[in-house]
Amino acid sequence: MADESDDVPVTGKVREKLVESKQAWAREGRLLTGQTYPLGGTATRERLPPGQTLVTDWPVLDLGVQPDVAPDRWRLRLEGLVQAPLRLTLDEFMALPQAELVNDIHCVTQWSRYDNRWQGVSARHLVELARPKEEARFVSFTSYDGYTTNVPLADFARDEVLLAHSWEGRPLTRQHGGPVRVVIPHLYFWKSPKWVTRIELLRDDRPGFWEVRGYHNYGDPWLEERYG
Ligand SMILES: Nc1nc2c(c(=O)[nH]1)N[C@H]1C(S)=C(S)[C@@H](COP(=O)(O)O)O[C@H]1N2
Ligand SMILES: [Mo]
């Protein structure tokens, strides 16, 4: 059973310099190429979105705080405008139907990484279990490092969205968001929260950590929606 410790530790040690310089880049429009693929990536022969560079390693990006969430303390809540709020332990989460997906990652800082193989639980399955109320339109995520981000509910419920616990057959490492992170491959990777603990369904949109610091509210890499 889940306990009552639903407090999300507040980020006391965020690397302010890093946050400030990313915010300044957003203000200046750095990294923008001016090319876009208006028909979307799948309508073209392109696999690499505009302005991106392919990497084969896997960079680590976060606010400089990597929470160490003990598996028995981890909780996932799906709540807000739902008829059946979920509050899951890691064992309960791992007992749900499992999915495996392979997809490409596109980070707003211009690296892309192809063919990432994830194992986890389908976001749509979780949404169906929680039964959204009719007025639910947006999703707000909160993580154990205090990070937040937001997407439309329709985007979260897409086929290829996963709550991943493993990568390439091994448990997701702490630096990449273990025990569980969200993977939303059709948007820039800042929309994929690591160390996720709360998923809230909302009537109105609620911009997250980077969205209120100059990043685009939606973040389609094919339209180069880096900054908003
Ligand atoms: N909880 C949390 N999730 C986060 C972040 C963060 O700071 N905290 N950073 C985002 C950003 S900007 C990116 S690019 C990716 C990086 O994921 P990675 O370190 O696994 O490559 O995580 C995203 N999810
Ligand atoms: Mo990022």
Side-chain angles (χ1 to χ4, degrees), residues 8-23 60-67 141-149 174-177 181 190 192-195 208-213 215:
V8 174
V10 173
T11 325
K13 291 163 284 187
V14 164
R15 283 150 67 198
E16 292 299 342
K17 284 258 159 55
L18 177 147
V19 171
E20 277 164 29
S21 65
K22 281 184 154 181
Q23 237 180 315
V60 173
L61 282 98
D62 48 53
L63 304 175
V65 180
Q66 297 180 342
F141 302 99
T142 306
S143 298
Y144 278 104
D145 59 344
Y147 184 80
T148 57
T149 189
R174 173 177 163 191
Q175 60 178 353
H176 287 299
R181 79 174 297 159
W190 90 79
S192 292
K194 311 200 273 191
W195 315 291
F209 184 89
W210 286 119
E211 290 81 7
V212 302
R213 286 172 176 77
Y215 280 29

Side-chain angles (χ1 to χ4, degrees), residues 92-124:
E92 290 165 342
F93 175 81
M94 297 300 283
L96 294 174
Q98 298 291 306
E100 176 167 299
L101 281 171
V102 178
N103 53 45
D104 299 345
I105 297 171
H106 308 298
C107 175
V108 71
T109 59
Q110 288 188 305
W111 57 269
S112 292
R113 189 180 189 287
Y114 290 163
D115 294 325
N116 300 277
R117 191 161 56 89
W118 309 94
Q119 295 85 28
V121 174
S122 133
R124 177 179 294 164

Side-chain angles (χ1 to χ4, degrees), residues 33-54:
T33 65
Q35 322 161 348
T36 59
Y37 301 126
L39 298 177
T42 50
T44 73
R45 292 278 165 83
E46 300 293 337
R47 182 167 181 188
L48 194 63
Q52 297 295 108
T53 301
L54 196 57

Side-chain angles (χ1 to χ4, degrees), residues 186-205:
H186 68 289
L187 300 177
Y188 281 124
F189 211 32
W190 90 79
K191 293 287 189 180
S192 292
K194 311 200 273 191
W195 315 291
V196 68
T197 182
R198 191 193 321 161
I199 303 170
E200 205 179 337
L201 269 52
L202 305 168
R203 180 197 313 262
D204 300 312
D205 202 3

Side-chain angles (χ1 to χ4, degrees), residues 157-177:
R158 274 169 66 139
D159 280 343
E160 69 274 25
V161 177
L162 212 58
L163 273 81
H165 56 69
S166 296
W167 178 82
E168 301 299 339
R170 291 183 299 275
L172 202 55
T173 58
R174 173 177 163 191
Q175 60 178 353
H176 287 299

